[in-house]
Amino acid sequence: MGTVITRSTSDDLPALLPLLHGYSSFYGAAPQDDALLAMARAFCEDGPDGLQLVAREESGRLVGFATLLWSWDTTSASRIAVMEDLFVADGTRGQGVGRLLLEACAERARERGCPALSWMTAPGNTRAQRLYDATGAERSSWLTYRLSLREPGKD
């Protein structure tokens, strides 16, 4: 049977938390457990913002996740899906789990009628870029900006 991709549920949260920390750590961030769990819990509900998919081995162990957000694209006047996160546990990478998660995101986007799936990755994340380049996706020339809205010294 191999790895199965499903939508995350509240039962997955304890096993999902270390993966969320692994993803955050990869990008140099260290959010608190309660904040990560609140975010993940929100994706377990059937809400308008998006969903989280998990990759589960036959043993039941979670080995990866992807977060899919619903948005709009003015240039195409249509709904789009944004793959916000894709993470595969160390020791499981290179076994096709990332591709399965990406394909499941694309399928969920198709089901919602989205004509496109988009995502970003860090310029130095060459391993992920090899996977993304192999999908036939086009690299964007757009630059990403982020404006912090937090007051300095406050979290």
Coordinates of all heavy atoms in Angstrom, one line a residue, residues 35-90:
A35 N 1.0 27.8 19.5 CA 0.7 28.5 18.3 C 0.6 27.6 17.1 O -0.3 27.7 16.2 CB 1.7 29.6 18.0
L36 N 1.6 26.7 17.0 CA 1.6 25.7 15.9 C 0.3 24.8 15.9 O -0.3 24.5 14.9 CB 2.8 24.8 15.9 CG 4.1 25.5 15.4 CD1 5.3 24.6 15.7 CD2 4.0 25.8 13.9
L37 N 0.0 24.4 17.1 CA -1.2 23.5 17.3 C -2.5 24.2 16.9 O -3.4 23.7 16.3 CB -1.2 22.9 18.7 CG -0.2 21.8 19.0 CD1 -0.2 21.5 20.4 CD2 -0.4 20.6 18.1
A38 N -2.6 25.5 17.3 CA -3.8 26.3 17.0 C -3.9 26.4 15.5 O -5.0 26.3 14.9 CB -3.7 27.6 17.7
M39 N -2.8 26.7 14.8 CA -2.8 26.8 13.3 C -3.2 25.5 12.7 O -4.2 25.4 11.9 CB -1.5 27.2 12.8 CG -1.4 27.3 11.3 SD 0.3 27.3 10.7 CE 0.7 25.6 10.9
A40 N -2.6 24.4 13.1 CA -2.9 23.1 12.6 C -4.3 22.7 12.9 O -5.0 22.1 12.0 CB -1.9 22.0 13.1
R41 N -4.8 23.0 14.0 CA -6.2 22.7 14.4 C -7.2 23.4 13.5 O -8.2 22.8 13.1 CB -6.5 23.0 15.9 CG -7.7 22.5 16.4 CD -7.8 22.7 18.0 NE -6.9 21.9 18.7 CZ -5.8 22.4 19.3 NH1 -5.5 23.7 19.3 NH2 -5.0 21.7 20.0
A42 N -6.9 24.6 13.1 CA -7.8 25.4 12.2 C -7.9 24.7 10.9 O -8.9 24.8 10.2 CB -7.2 26.8 12.1
F43 N -6.8 24.0 10.4 CA -6.9 23.3 9.1 C -7.6 22.0 9.2 O -7.9 21.4 8.2 CB -5.5 23.2 8.6 CG -4.9 24.4 8.1 CD1 -3.7 24.9 8.6 CD2 -5.5 25.1 7.0 CE1 -3.2 26.1 8.2 CE2 -4.9 26.3 6.6 CZ -3.8 26.8 7.1
C44 N -7.9 21.5 10.4 CA -8.6 20.3 10.6 C -10.1 20.5 10.3 O -10.8 19.6 10.0 CB -8.4 19.7 12.0 SG -6.7 19.1 12.3
E45 N -10.5 21.7 10.5 CA -11.9 22.1 10.3 C -12.2 22.3 8.9 O -11.2 22.7 8.1 CB -12.3 23.3 11.2 CG -12.1 23.1 12.6 CD -12.1 24.4 13.4 OE1 -12.4 25.5 12.9 OE2 -11.8 24.3 14.6
D46 N -13.4 22.2 8.4 CA -13.7 22.5 7.0 C -14.0 23.9 6.8 O -15.1 24.3 6.6 CB -14.9 21.6 6.7 CG -15.0 21.4 5.2 OD1 -14.1 21.7 4.5 OD2 -16.1 20.9 4.7
G47 N -12.9 24.8 6.9 CA -13.1 26.2 6.7 C -12.7 26.7 5.4 O -12.2 26.0 4.5
P48 N -12.9 28.0 5.2 CA -12.6 28.6 3.8 C -11.2 28.9 3.6 O -10.8 29.2 2.4 CB -13.5 29.9 3.9 CG -13.4 30.3 5.4 CD -13.4 29.0 6.1
D49 N -10.3 28.8 4.6 CA -8.9 29.3 4.4 C -8.0 28.3 3.7 O -7.1 28.6 3.0 CB -8.3 29.6 5.8 CG -9.0 30.8 6.4 OD1 -9.6 31.6 5.7 OD2 -9.0 30.8 7.7
G50 N -8.3 27.0 3.9 CA -7.4 26.0 3.3 C -7.5 24.7 4.1 O -8.4 24.5 4.9
L51 N -6.5 23.8 3.9 CA -6.4 22.5 4.5 C -5.0 22.1 4.7 O -4.1 22.7 4.1 CB -7.3 21.5 3.7 CG -6.9 21.3 2.3 CD1 -5.9 20.2 2.1 CD2 -8.2 21.0 1.5
Q52 N -4.8 21.1 5.5 CA -3.5 20.5 5.7 C -3.6 19.0 5.3 O -4.5 18.3 5.8 CB -3.0 20.7 7.1 CG -1.5 20.7 7.3 CD -1.1 21.5 8.5 OE1 -1.7 21.4 9.5 NE2 -0.1 22.3 8.3
L53 N -2.7 18.6 4.5 CA -2.6 17.1 4.2 C -1.4 16.5 4.9 O -0.4 17.2 5.1 CB -2.4 17.0 2.7 CG -3.5 17.6 1.8 CD1 -3.1 17.5 0.3 CD2 -4.8 16.9 2.0
V54 N -1.6 15.2 5.3 CA -0.5 14.5 5.9 C -0.1 13.3 5.1 O -1.0 12.7 4.5 CB -0.8 14.2 7.4 CG1 -0.9 15.4 8.3 CG2 -2.1 13.3 7.5
A55 N 1.1 12.9 5.2 CA 1.6 11.7 4.6 C 1.8 10.7 5.7 O 2.6 10.9 6.6 CB 2.9 11.9 3.8
R56 N 1.2 9.5 5.5 CA 1.2 8.5 6.6 C 1.8 7.2 6.0 O 1.3 6.7 5.0 CB -0.2 8.3 7.1 CG -0.3 7.4 8.3 CD -1.8 7.2 8.6 NE -2.6 8.4 8.6 CZ -2.7 9.3 9.5 NH1 -2.0 9.2 10.6 NH2 -3.4 10.4 9.4
E57 N 2.8 6.6 6.7 CA 3.3 5.3 6.2 C 2.3 4.2 6.6 O 1.4 4.5 7.4 CB 4.7 5.0 6.9 CG 5.8 5.9 6.5 CD 7.1 5.6 7.2 OE1 7.1 5.2 8.4 OE2 8.2 5.7 6.5
E58 N 2.5 3.0 6.1 CA 1.7 1.9 6.5 C 1.6 1.7 8.0 O 0.5 1.3 8.5 CB 2.2 0.6 5.8 CG 1.9 0.6 4.3 CD 2.3 -0.7 3.7 OE1 2.0 -1.8 4.2 OE2 3.0 -0.7 2.6
S59 N 2.7 1.9 8.7 CA 2.7 1.8 10.1 C 1.8 2.8 10.9 O 1.6 2.7 12.0 CB 4.1 1.9 10.6 OG 4.6 3.2 10.4
G60 N 1.4 3.8 10.1 CA 0.6 4.9 10.7 C 1.4 6.1 11.1 O 0.9 7.2 11.4
R61 N 2.8 6.0 11.0 CA 3.7 7.1 11.3 C 3.5 8.2 10.3 O 3.6 8.0 9.1 CB 5.1 6.6 11.4 CG 6.1 7.7 11.8 CD 7.5 7.1 11.9 NE 8.1 6.9 10.7 CZ 9.1 7.6 10.2 NH1 9.6 8.6 10.9 NH2 9.7 7.3 9.0
L62 N 3.4 9.5 10.8 CA 3.4 10.6 9.9 C 4.8 11.0 9.4 O 5.7 11.1 10.3 CB 2.7 11.9 10.5 CG 1.3 11.8 10.9 CD1 0.8 13.1 11.4 CD2 0.4 11.3 9.8
V63 N 5.0 11.2 8.1 CA 6.3 11.4 7.6 C 6.4 12.7 6.8 O 7.4 13.1 6.3 CB 6.8 10.3 6.8 CG1 7.1 9.0 7.6 CG2 5.9 9.9 5.6
G64 N 5.3 13.4 6.7 CA 5.3 14.7 5.9 C 3.9 15.4 6.0 O 2.9 14.8 6.4
F65 N 3.9 16.6 5.5 CA 2.7 17.4 5.5 C 2.8 18.5 4.4 O 3.9 18.8 4.0 CB 2.3 18.0 6.8 CG 3.2 19.2 7.2 CD1 2.7 20.5 6.9 CD2 4.4 19.0 7.8 CE1 3.5 21.6 7.2 CE2 5.2 20.1 8.2 CZ 4.7 21.4 7.9
A66 N 1.6 18.9 4.0 CA 1.6 20.1 3.1 C 0.4 20.9 3.5 O -0.7 20.4 3.9 CB 1.4 19.6 1.6
T67 N 0.5 22.2 3.4 CA -0.5 23.1 3.8 C -1.0 23.8 2.5 O -0.2 24.4 1.8 CB 0.0 24.2 4.8 OG1 0.6 23.5 5.9 CG2 -1.2 25.1 5.2
L68 N -2.3 23.8 2.2 CA -2.8 24.3 1.0 C -3.8 25.5 1.4 O -4.7 25.3 2.2 CB -3.6 23.2 0.3 CG -4.0 23.5 -1.2 CD1 -2.8 23.8 -2.1 CD2 -4.7 22.2 -1.7
L69 N -3.6 26.6 0.8 CA -4.4 27.8 1.1 C -5.2 28.2 -0.2 O -4.7 28.0 -1.3 CB -3.5 29.0 1.5 CG -2.6 28.8 2.6 CD1 -1.8 30.1 2.9 CD2 -3.3 28.4 3.9
W70 N -6.4 28.7 0.1 CA -7.3 29.1 -1.0 C -7.1 30.6 -1.2 O -7.2 31.3 -0.2 CB -8.7 28.7 -0.8 CG -8.9 27.3 -0.5 CD1 -9.5 26.8 0.6 CD2 -8.5 26.1 -1.2 NE1 -9.5 25.4 0.6 CE2 -8.9 25.0 -0.5 CE3 -7.8 26.0 -2.5 CZ2 -8.6 23.7 -1.0 CZ3 -7.6 24.7 -2.9 CH2 -8.0 23.6 -2.2
S71 N -6.9 31.1 -2.4 CA -6.8 32.5 -2.6 C -7.4 32.9 -3.9 O -8.1 32.1 -4.6 CB -5.3 32.9 -2.6 OG -5.1 34.3 -2.6
W72 N -7.2 34.1 -4.4 CA -7.7 34.6 -5.7 C -6.5 35.2 -6.5 O -5.5 35.6 -5.9 CB -8.7 35.7 -5.5 CG -10.0 35.3 -4.9 CD1 -10.3 35.2 -3.6 CD2 -11.1 34.8 -5.7 NE1 -11.6 34.7 -3.5 CE2 -12.1 34.5 -4.8 CE3 -11.3 34.7 -7.0 CZ2 -13.3 34.0 -5.2 CZ3 -12.6 34.2 -7.4 CH2 -13.6 33.9 -6.5
D73 N -6.6 35.1 -7.8 CA -5.6 35.7 -8.7 C -6.4 36.7 -9.6 O -7.2 36.3 -10.4 CB -4.9 34.6 -9.5 CG -3.9 35.2 -10.5 OD1 -3.7 36.4 -10.5 OD2 -3.3 34.4 -11.2
T74 N -6.1 37.9 -9.4 CA -6.8 39.0 -10.2 C -6.4 38.9 -11.6 O -7.3 39.1 -12.5 CB -6.4 40.4 -9.6 OG1 -6.7 40.4 -8.2 CG2 -7.1 41.5 -10.4
T75 N -5.2 38.5 -12.0 CA -4.8 38.5 -13.4 C -5.5 37.4 -14.2 O -5.7 37.5 -15.4 CB -3.3 38.3 -13.5 OG1 -2.9 37.0 -13.0 CG2 -2.5 39.4 -12.9
S76 N -6.0 36.4 -13.5 CA -6.8 35.4 -14.2 C -8.3 35.4 -13.8 O -9.1 34.6 -14.2 CB -6.3 34.0 -13.9 OG -6.4 33.6 -12.5
A77 N -8.6 36.3 -12.8 CA -10.0 36.4 -12.3 C -10.5 35.1 -11.8 O -11.6 34.7 -12.1 CB -10.9 37.1 -13.3
S78 N -9.7 34.4 -11.1 CA -10.1 33.0 -10.7 C -9.5 32.7 -9.3 O -8.6 33.3 -8.8 CB -9.7 32.0 -11.7 OG -8.3 31.9 -11.8
R79 N -10.1 31.7 -8.7 CA -9.6 31.1 -7.5 C -8.3 30.4 -7.8 O -8.1 29.8 -8.9 CB -10.5 30.1 -6.9 CG -11.9 30.6 -6.5 CD -11.8 31.4 -5.2 NE -11.9 30.5 -4.0 CZ -11.6 30.9 -2.8 NH1 -11.3 32.2 -2.6 NH2 -11.7 30.1 -1.8
I80 N -7.3 30.4 -6.9 CA -6.1 29.7 -7.0 C -5.8 29.0 -5.7 O -6.3 29.3 -4.7 CB -4.9 30.5 -7.5 CG1 -4.6 31.6 -6.4 CG2 -5.1 31.1 -8.8 CD1 -3.2 32.2 -6.6
A81 N -5.0 28.0 -5.8 CA -4.5 27.3 -4.6 C -3.0 27.6 -4.4 O -2.3 27.7 -5.4 CB -4.7 25.8 -4.8
V82 N -2.6 27.9 -3.2 CA -1.3 28.2 -2.8 C -0.8 27.1 -1.9 O -1.3 27.0 -0.8 CB -1.1 29.6 -2.2 CG1 0.3 29.9 -1.8 CG2 -1.7 30.7 -3.1
M83 N 0.2 26.4 -2.3 CA 0.9 25.4 -1.4 C 1.8 26.2 -0.5 O 2.9 26.6 -0.9 CB 1.6 24.3 -2.2 CG 2.1 23.2 -1.3 SD 2.8 21.8 -2.2 CE 4.2 22.6 -2.9
E84 N 1.4 26.5 0.7 CA 2.2 27.3 1.6 C 3.3 26.6 2.2 O 4.4 27.1 2.4 CB 1.2 27.8 2.7 CG 1.9 28.7 3.8 CD 2.3 30.1 3.2 OE1 1.8 30.5 2.1 OE2 3.1 30.7 3.9
D85 N 3.1 25.3 2.5 CA 4.2 24.5 3.1 C 4.2 23.1 2.5 O 3.2 22.6 2.1 CB 3.9 24.2 4.6 CG 3.6 25.4 5.4 OD1 4.3 26.5 5.2 OD2 2.7 25.4 6.2
L86 N 5.4 22.5 2.4 CA 5.6 21.1 2.0 C 6.8 20.7 2.8 O 7.9 21.3 2.7 CB 5.8 20.9 0.5 CG 5.9 19.5 0.1 CD1 4.8 19.0 -0.7 CD2 7.2 19.2 -0.6
F87 N 6.6 19.6 3.6 CA 7.7 19.1 4.4 C 7.7 17.6 4.5 O 6.6 17.0 4.7 CB 7.7 19.7 5.8 CG 8.8 19.3 6.7 CD1 10.0 19.9 6.6 CD2 8.6 18.3 7.7 CE1 11.1 19.5 7.4 CE2 9.6 17.9 8.5 CZ 10.9 18.5 8.4
V88 N 8.9 17.0 4.3 CA 9.0 15.6 4.5 C 10.1 15.3 5.5 O 11.2 16.0 5.5 CB 9.4 14.9 3.1 CG1 9.7 13.4 3.3 CG2 8.3 15.1 2.1
A89 N 9.9 14.4 6.4 CA 10.8 14.1 7.5 C 12.1 13.7 7.0 O 12.2 12.9 6.0 CB 10.2 13.1 8.5
D90 N 13.1 14.1 7.7 CA 14.5 13.6 7.5 C 14.5 12.1 7.5 O 13.8 11.5 8.4 CB 15.4 14.2 8.5 CG 16.8 14.6 8.0 OD1 16.9 14.6 6.7 OD2 17.6 14.9 8.8

